[in-house]
PDB file of all heavy atoms in Angstrom:
ATOM      1  N   ASN I 632      39.113 -99.750 -59.937  1.00 83.00           N
ATOM      2  CA  ASN I 632      38.607-101.124 -59.958  1.00 83.00           C
ATOM      3  C   ASN I 632      38.939-101.850 -61.262  1.00 83.00           C
ATOM      4  O   ASN I 632      38.823-103.065 -61.345  1.00 83.00           O
ATOM      5  CB  ASN I 632      37.091-101.148 -59.749  1.00 83.00           C
ATOM      6  CG  ASN I 632      36.709-100.746 -58.339  1.00 83.00           C
ATOM      7  OD1 ASN I 632      37.404-101.070 -57.384  1.00 83.00           O
ATOM      8  ND2 ASN I 632      35.624-100.017 -58.211  1.00 83.00           N
ATOM      9  N   LEU I 633      39.314-101.085 -62.284  1.00 84.00           N
ATOM     10  CA  LEU I 633      39.665-101.687 -63.573  1.00 84.00           C
ATOM     11  C   LEU I 633      41.148-102.037 -63.608  1.00 84.00           C
ATOM     12  O   LEU I 633      41.989-101.261 -63.164  1.00 84.00           O
ATOM     13  CB  LEU I 633      39.388-100.715 -64.717  1.00 84.00           C
ATOM     14  CG  LEU I 633      37.943-100.424 -65.074  1.00 84.00           C
ATOM     15  CD1 LEU I 633      37.891 -99.352 -66.149  1.00 84.00           C
ATOM     16  CD2 LEU I 633      37.234-101.668 -65.523  1.00 84.00           C
ATOM     17  N   SER I 634      41.435-103.188 -64.176  1.00 88.00           N
ATOM     18  CA  SER I 634      42.844-103.535 -64.395  1.00 88.00           C
ATOM     19  C   SER I 634      43.345-102.765 -65.615  1.00 88.00           C
ATOM     20  O   SER I 634      42.553-102.192 -66.374  1.00 88.00           O
ATOM     21  CB  SER I 634      42.993-105.037 -64.640  1.00 88.00           C
ATOM     22  OG  SER I 634      42.440-105.382 -65.893  1.00 88.00           O
ATOM     23  N   LYS I 635      44.640-102.764 -65.811  1.00 90.00           N
ATOM     24  CA  LYS I 635      45.219-102.072 -66.968  1.00 90.00           C
ATOM     25  C   LYS I 635      44.664-102.658 -68.262  1.00 90.00           C
ATOM     26  O   LYS I 635      44.315-101.916 -69.189  1.00 90.00           O
ATOM     27  CB  LYS I 635      46.743-102.209 -66.935  1.00 90.00           C
ATOM     28  CG  LYS I 635      47.435-101.490 -68.056  1.00 90.00           C
ATOM     29  CD  LYS I 635      48.934-101.649 -67.996  1.00 90.00           C
ATOM     30  CE  LYS I 635      49.582-100.981 -69.187  1.00 90.00           C
ATOM     31  NZ  LYS I 635      51.009-101.245 -69.266  1.00 90.00           N
ATOM     32  N   GLU I 636      44.541-103.988 -68.318  1.00 91.00           N
ATOM     33  CA  GLU I 636      44.031-104.648 -69.527  1.00 91.00           C
ATOM     34  C   GLU I 636      42.569-104.271 -69.779  1.00 91.00           C
ATOM     35  O   GLU I 636      42.167-104.031 -70.919  1.00 91.00           O
ATOM     36  CB  GLU I 636      44.158-106.170 -69.415  1.00 91.00           C
ATOM     37  CG  GLU I 636      45.584-106.672 -69.403  1.00 91.00           C
ATOM     38  CD  GLU I 636      46.257-106.533 -68.033  1.00 91.00           C
ATOM     39  OE1 GLU I 636      45.553-106.399 -66.996  1.00 91.00           O
ATOM     40  OE2 GLU I 636      47.499-106.543 -67.997  1.00 91.00           O
ATOM     41  N   GLU I 637      41.756-104.229 -68.706  1.00 88.00           N
ATOM     42  CA  GLU I 637      40.348-103.861 -68.870  1.00 88.00           C
ATOM     43  C   GLU I 637      40.217-102.428 -69.365  1.00 88.00           C
ATOM     44  O   GLU I 637      39.427-102.148 -70.265  1.00 88.00           O
ATOM     45  CB  GLU I 637      39.611-104.020 -67.541  1.00 88.00           C
ATOM     46  CG  GLU I 637      39.423-105.456 -67.117  1.00 88.00           C
ATOM     47  CD  GLU I 637      38.920-105.576 -65.686  1.00 88.00           C
ATOM     48  OE1 GLU I 637      39.305-104.741 -64.836  1.00 88.00           O
ATOM     49  OE2 GLU I 637      38.164-106.521 -65.423  1.00 88.00           O
ATOM     50  N   ARG I 638      40.996-101.534 -68.789  1.00 88.00           N
ATOM     51  CA  ARG I 638      40.956-100.124 -69.212  1.00 88.00           C
ATOM     52  C   ARG I 638      41.360 -99.993 -70.677  1.00 88.00           C
ATOM     53  O   ARG I 638      40.709 -99.278 -71.443  1.00 88.00           O
ATOM     54  CB  ARG I 638      41.872 -99.276 -68.335  1.00 88.00           C
ATOM     55  CG  ARG I 638      41.800 -97.793 -68.658  1.00 88.00           C
ATOM     56  CD  ARG I 638      42.599 -96.960 -67.697  1.00 88.00           C
ATOM     57  NE  ARG I 638      42.070 -96.967 -66.356  1.00 88.00           N
ATOM     58  CZ  ARG I 638      41.051 -96.208 -65.938  1.00 88.00           C
ATOM     59  NH1 ARG I 638      40.477 -95.387 -66.786  1.00 88.00           N
ATOM     60  NH2 ARG I 638      40.624 -96.260 -64.709  1.00 88.00           N
ATOM     61  N   GLU I 639      42.420-100.708 -71.095  1.00 91.00           N
ATOM     62  CA  GLU I 639      42.856-100.651 -72.497  1.00 91.00           C
ATOM     63  C   GLU I 639      41.775-101.204 -73.429  1.00 91.00           C
ATOM     64  O   GLU I 639      41.536-100.652 -74.503  1.00 91.00           O
ATOM     65  CB  GLU I 639      44.152-101.429 -72.670  1.00 91.00           C
ATOM     66  CG  GLU I 639      45.357-100.726 -72.064  1.00 91.00           C
ATOM     67  CD  GLU I 639      46.610-101.581 -72.053  1.00 91.00           C
ATOM     68  OE1 GLU I 639      46.536-102.784 -72.422  1.00 91.00           O
ATOM     69  OE2 GLU I 639      47.669-101.058 -71.663  1.00 91.00           O
ATOM     70  N   ARG I 640      41.109-102.282 -73.012  1.00 90.00           N
ATOM     71  CA  ARG I 640      40.052-102.875 -73.827  1.00 90.00           C
ATOM     72  C   ARG I 640      38.904-101.888 -73.999  1.00 90.00           C
ATOM     73  O   ARG I 640      38.363-101.716 -75.091  1.00 90.00           O
ATOM     74  CB  ARG I 640      39.554-104.168 -73.176  1.00 90.00           C
ATOM     75  CG  ARG I 640      38.453-104.841 -73.934  1.00 90.00           C
ATOM     76  CD  ARG I 640      38.101-106.213 -73.386  1.00 90.00           C
ATOM     77  NE  ARG I 640      38.179-106.361 -71.958  1.00 90.00           N
ATOM     78  CZ  ARG I 640      37.186-106.030 -71.109  1.00 90.00           C
ATOM     79  NH1 ARG I 640      36.076-105.519 -71.556  1.00 90.00           N
ATOM     80  NH2 ARG I 640      37.334-106.215 -69.808  1.00 90.00           N
ATOM     81  N   LEU I 641      38.543-101.204 -72.922  1.00 89.00           N
ATOM     82  CA  LEU I 641      37.456-100.234 -73.006  1.00 89.00           C
ATOM     83  C   LEU I 641      37.862 -99.006 -73.822  1.00 89.00           C
ATOM     84  O   LEU I 641      37.037 -98.437 -74.550  1.00 89.00           O
ATOM     85  CB  LEU I 641      37.002 -99.831 -71.601  1.00 89.00           C
ATOM     86  CG  LEU I 641      36.335-100.966 -70.811  1.00 89.00           C
ATOM     87  CD1 LEU I 641      36.100-100.546 -69.370  1.00 89.00           C
ATOM     88  CD2 LEU I 641      35.042-101.410 -71.464  1.00 89.00           C
ATOM     89  N   GLU I 642      39.115 -98.613 -73.748  1.00 90.00           N
ATOM     90  CA  GLU I 642      39.591 -97.507 -74.592  1.00 90.00           C
ATOM     91  C   GLU I 642      39.549 -97.920 -76.068  1.00 90.00           C
ATOM     92  O   GLU I 642      39.229 -97.114 -76.942  1.00 90.00           O
ATOM     93  CB  GLU I 642      41.006 -97.074 -74.188  1.00 90.00           C
ATOM     94  CG  GLU I 642      41.078 -96.373 -72.839  1.00 90.00           C
ATOM     95  CD  GLU I 642      40.355 -95.028 -72.786  1.00 90.00           C
ATOM     96  OE1 GLU I 642      40.130 -94.408 -73.847  1.00 90.00           O
ATOM     97  OE2 GLU I 642      40.005 -94.609 -71.672  1.00 90.00           O
ATOM     98  N   ARG I 643      39.872 -99.198 -76.359  1.00 91.00           N
ATOM     99  CA  ARG I 643      39.769 -99.686 -77.747  1.00 91.00           C
ATOM    100  C   ARG I 643      38.310 -99.688 -78.201  1.00 91.00           C
ATOM    101  O   ARG I 643      38.014 -99.468 -79.381  1.00 91.00           O
ATOM    102  CB  ARG I 643      40.391-101.071 -77.875  1.00 91.00           C
ATOM    103  CG  ARG I 643      41.912-101.048 -77.874  1.00 91.00           C
ATOM    104  CD  ARG I 643      42.540-102.361 -78.330  1.00 91.00           C
ATOM    105  NE  ARG I 643      41.993-103.541 -77.680  1.00 91.00           N
ATOM    106  CZ  ARG I 643      42.447-104.078 -76.546  1.00 91.00           C
ATOM    107  NH1 ARG I 643      43.478-103.544 -75.931  1.00 91.00           N
ATOM    108  NH2 ARG I 643      41.897-105.159 -76.047  1.00 91.00           N
TER     109      ARG I 643
END
Side-chain angles (χ1 to χ4, degrees):
N632 291 324
L633 289 175
S634 70
K635 182 180 177 187
E636 293 80 20
E637 290 170 325
R638 184 174 293 279
E639 288 172 354
R640 179 172 36 85
L641 293 172
E642 290 295 338
R643 284 194 311 270

